Amino acid sequence: MFVKGAIYKIGREANELVTSLLGILSEVIGTTSMKLSEGFTKLIPSISIFVFYGLSLTLVTLSLKHIDVSIAYSIWSGLGTAIIATIGILYFKESISLIKLLSIIAIIAGVIGLNISEEIHSKKASVSHIELKKDIN
């Protein structure tokens, strides 16, 4: 029974992660569409802004069923920002500087740090839960 529950939990968390990543991808497409819309003068990119931001918010909201809001939002905004900055540099030929590059790295490091802290917290909570069940029996 314990193994079945653990497998279900891992599957559910993987599903929420995929939902979150699709939300990030939608946000990136929506933000890129902002640039491509040229101030709402291009029809398809202008419509894409609303479609992809709506999809993004929907997907991130769905991922909040099983992911803490602090983690989900930091991943969504942090990775979205880093990806958009990279697209800006590579695709739109925006300027790059050492400070801009270091800032992107800091954003990614922050997201990784939040995920590591969540994993440590989850493991401590699991051990506490197991110890509590052991004491009850």
Side-chain angles (χ1 to χ4, degrees):
M1 185 72 168
F2 177 76
V3 173
K4 184 178 179 183
I7 290 171
Y8 172 76
K9 183 179 178 186
I10 291 169
R12 185 181 69 209
E13 289 172 354
N15 187 39
E16 301 306 329
L17 180 62
V18 169
T19 303
S20 242
L21 292 174
L22 289 173
I24 292 167
L25 179 63
S26 298
E27 186 261 341
V28 167
I29 294 170
T31 303
T32 303
S33 296
M34 285 182 186
K35 178 73 172 172
L36 295 173
S37 76
E38 296 181 18
F40 293 111
T41 61
K42 306 287 184 189
L43 182 63
I44 299 300
S46 296
I47 293 170
S48 295
I49 294 167
F50 297 99
V51 169
F52 284 102
Y53 264 104
L55 181 60
S56 176
L57 291 172
T58 300
L59 291 168
V60 171
T61 300
L62 290 173
S63 75
L64 291 177
K65 285 182 179 180
H66 302 288
I67 299 175
D68 291 343
V69 69
S70 60
I71 299 300
Y73 186 74
S74 65
I75 292 170
W76 179 68
S77 61
L79 289 182
T81 300
I83 293 168
I84 284 298
T86 303
I87 289 171
I89 291 166
L90 297 177
Y91 184 76
F92 295 114
K93 306 300 181 207
E94 294 176 0
S95 65
I96 185 166
S97 66
L98 180 60
I99 292 175
K100 189 181 271 189
L101 185 61
L102 291 174
S103 297
I104 293 169
I105 292 168
I107 291 168
I108 294 169
V111 169
I112 291 169
L114 283 168
N115 281 303
I116 290 171
S117 73
E118 178 63 21
E119 287 177 18
I120 291 169
H121 177 73
S122 293
K123 287 180 183 176
K124 285 182 182 177
S126 294
V127 170
S128 298
H129 180 69
I130 291 169
E131 289 173 1
L132 181 61
K133 283 180 106 177
K134 185 177 177 182
D135 289 342
I136 292 172
N137 295 328

